[in-house]
Structure formats: structure tokens, C-alpha cells
Amino acid sequence: MDTLHALMKGPLPPLFFCIGNPVVGNPTQYMMEQAFKSLDYPGQYITCEINPKDLKTSLEGLKALNVKGGNVTAPFKQKVFPYLDALSESARLSTAVNCIIIKDDGSYLGDNTDGKGFLESLVQKVGNLDHKKVLLFGAGGAASAIASELVLAKVEELTLVNRNKEKAENLASRLTGITKTKVSVKPWEGIYLIDESDLVVVQATSVGLFDEKACIDVEFSKNLGNVIACDVVFNPIETAFLKKAKQAGCETLDGLGMLVNQGAIAIKSWTAQNPDRAIMREALTEAFAI
Ligand code: NDP
């Protein structure tokens, strides 16, 4: 069903949005448009740069326009909380919303699909997470979303390491006791030596974004076995951290899969349809080449 058909015969094309500031440089709309096209779904997606002082009225306006859902990016992932009617467990635990689902009664449900997107990539790579130990660098939005999902997936152990240790401790205390996952915090002083085998290592800081050479202060021990190194940074796709991990003999997982999956999970929530992730990945690769 195409847009013209929807316009002429109804129902009108469903509307979706991405709000943030700044949003120039964010390719979500293009990825979503390609996904809708691949589903033959007549959704229309717009990107809106919102002045923070207008957030409330913007959300009210979107509601009045009868939009069906949307994405939220920086700096609004926490700021939208007062204007939502309900939160998913992922949004509540990660204290961030990147996806709004508008229910049939018009109420706004805040969700977080970042962590779910990461988990989907990881499960595809390693299978069952039940007995996995995870070392996670970072305690910001992306790290909190991933940590929450890892705890909900009941990984064996989750160790949090962040430059600002207090932030890691706050995250750990929020996530402790929710499931059987043992959550702990380790300090990060100087170079952090990764010296444990059978480990998933997640680089969830912003280091490396747009800077091909930047890498967090870590080293990998020699002779590690079965270590999967993952990065949330998606541009460049092969970050300096992933290169370092590869040189140390680790398997790697890039951040682009997470970005695709978080969008695909959002589309599934809005439309009950599963978009083609390969097409979405291609759209992002095309966007980042500009
Ligand atoms: P936040 O600003 O919320 O958090 C930034 C994190 O990076 C903090 O933990 C911060 O530590 C840490 N950090 C920053 N600079 C350094 C440094 N020099 N050394 C060590 N740690 C540092 O950002 P987000 O969590 O929202 O985003 C993080 C990254 O994740 C970004 O690159 C973003 O693009 C990416 N992302 C990827 C997604 C995907 O789908 N692949 C989805 C969402 C985000 P401290 O607390 O000490 O300041």
C-alpha cells in the first residue's frame, strides 16, 4: 500500500517523529523511511529540532496531530519523563526513553529500545546469555540501557567500570537484586587491564565517536580465550577499540547492529511488523558515507 493510495482511500498515512536538539547528522528518519518502504507500509516520518523550552508543547502538538509513535534523542531522553503516561520496565530501569509508543487511547508509553537492540545483536553473536560474564565500560545513557537489559536477561555477572565511579555505583545499586545477576563496580585508574577469558566486554562510552583514533584506556592481556568485544559507537563502524580487541584475538561486534535493531524494535512496537534489518543497515551505511 503506497502513500498515494493511503491519501486517496484512507486510512491516512500514520505519522512518526524523531525529536532532539541538535538533530542534523541523525539519520534515523532515512533508516525508518527505507524500513517502511521495505514493508510496503505508508508511514511518514519527520525529524524535528525542538527548543528544550518547547518540549511540553511539542509533545502536546504531536499528540494533537494524532502521531502514532516516535523516537527521542539527546537531550530529551530523560526530559520527556514528566510528559509520559507510562514507562516500560526498560525505560524505568535505564531512566531513559528513546522510543514513544502512542496507545490506541492516546496515552504515551515511554520505552527504551537501545539496550534491547544491543541485546539482540549480542544474542545473535553468542547465543544464550545465561552464564555470561559481562564487563561494561560507561555509565551514561547507552550504558544504562544495556546494563538494564543484561540484568533483565539474567546474565551471570555484570561488572561496571566508569571514569566517574559514583555514576557506576548509582547504576549498580539501581540494578542490584532485580534478577540473579551479580552487579559490581570496579575502579578505572589509568589503563584498565582486561585479563579474564570467557568474557563479553562492552565499550559503552562516547569515546571514538567521529574520531577514528580515540580509544578508551584499556589493554587486553595476552592469551585471552573466548572474549567478545562490543562497541556502541557506530561511526566509524570499526572503532579503534574494536581494532585493538581484534589484534588481541577477540571476536568483535560493532555498534551499527545495535542502532539498526533499536529502530527495528521500535517499528515492531508501532506497526506489529518486522522490518528488513539488512535494508536498514544499508541505509545507515549510505548516510554515514556522506
Ligand atoms: P552519555 O553522555 O550519556 O555518556 C557518556 C559516557 O561516556 C559516560 O559514561 C562518560 O563517563 C563516558 N566518557 C566520555 N568521555 C570519556 C573518556 N574520555 N574516557 C572514559 N569515559 C568517557 O552518552 P550516551 O551514553 O548517550 O552515548 C554514548 C555513546 O553511545 C555515544 O557514542 C552514542 O552515539 C552511542 N550510542 C549508540 C547507540 C547505538 O544504537 N549503537 C544508541 C545510543 C547511543 P563519565 O560518566 O565519567 O563522564
Side-chain angles (χ1 to χ4, degrees), residues 30-43 279:
Y30 186 64
M31 175 177 77
M32 296 308 204
E33 284 171 349
Q34 300 310 306
F36 288 160
K37 213 184 274 179
S38 79
L39 290 169
D40 202 15
Y41 179 79
I279 285 175

Side-chain angles (χ1 to χ4, degrees), residues 203-265:
Q203 191 312 96
T205 78
S206 48
V207 176
L209 184 68
F210 302 122
D211 180 355
E212 295 196 9
K213 293 200 181 93
C215 181
I216 49 169
D217 289 337
V218 294
E219 286 299 339
F220 292 85
S221 280
K222 291 205 173 77
N223 304 319
L224 289 176
N226 191 26
V227 172
I228 323 264
C230 319
D231 207 322
V232 299
V233 171
F234 46 78
N235 191 9
I237 298 175
E238 190 176 49
T239 60
F241 171 76
L242 292 182
K243 280 187 187 149
K244 187 180 258 196
K246 211 183 245 179
Q247 275 161 13
C250 307
E251 292 251 354
T252 59
L253 186 64
D254 66 53
L256 203 55
M258 170 181 171
L259 190 60
V260 167
N261 293 338
Q262 60 79 29
I265 293 165

Side-chain angles (χ1 to χ4, degrees), residues 5-16:
H5 192 274
L7 283 173
M8 300 311 290
K9 299 285 180 190
L12 285 174
L15 303 176
F16 301 90

Side-chain angles (χ1 to χ4, degrees), residues 168-205:
E169 283 167 346
N170 288 340
L171 179 58
S173 69
R174 221 167 56 231
L175 296 178
T176 294
I178 287 167
T179 65
K180 68 161 178 113
T181 303
K182 204 174 134 222
V183 187
S184 62
V185 174
K186 281 195 179 159
W188 194 353
E189 286 145 6
I191 307 275
Y192 190 101
L193 183 67
I194 299 162
D195 57 1
E196 210 182 324
S197 288
D198 301 315
L199 191 68
V200 175
V201 183
V202 188
Q203 191 312 96
T205 78

Side-chain angles (χ1 to χ4, degrees), residues 81 84 86-97 99 101 108-113 116 149 152:
F81 270 65
L84 301 171
L87 293 174
S88 70
E89 192 168 29
S90 301
R92 192 175 47 76
L93 285 178
S94 62
T95 65
V97 161
C99 173
I101 299 152
Y108 274 26
L109 170 68
D111 191 15
N112 192 311
T113 62
K116 292 177 196 168
E149 230 51 59
L152 291 174

Side-chain angles (χ1 to χ4, degrees), residues 45 80 229 234 257:
Y45 195 103
V80 291
F234 46 78

Side-chain angles (χ1 to χ4, degrees), residues 14-20 23 26 28-30 32-33 36 43-50 58 61-62 65 67 69-72 270:
L15 303 176
F16 301 90
F17 62 85
C18 174
I19 52 169
V23 279
N26 185 325
T28 301
Q29 173 174 338
Y30 186 64
M32 296 308 204
E33 284 171 349
F36 288 160
Q44 297 280 304
Y45 195 103
I46 52 164
T47 301
C48 311
E49 194 156 89
I50 304 286
S58 300
L62 288 163
L65 290 172
V67 295
N71 292 112
V72 178
W270 298 330

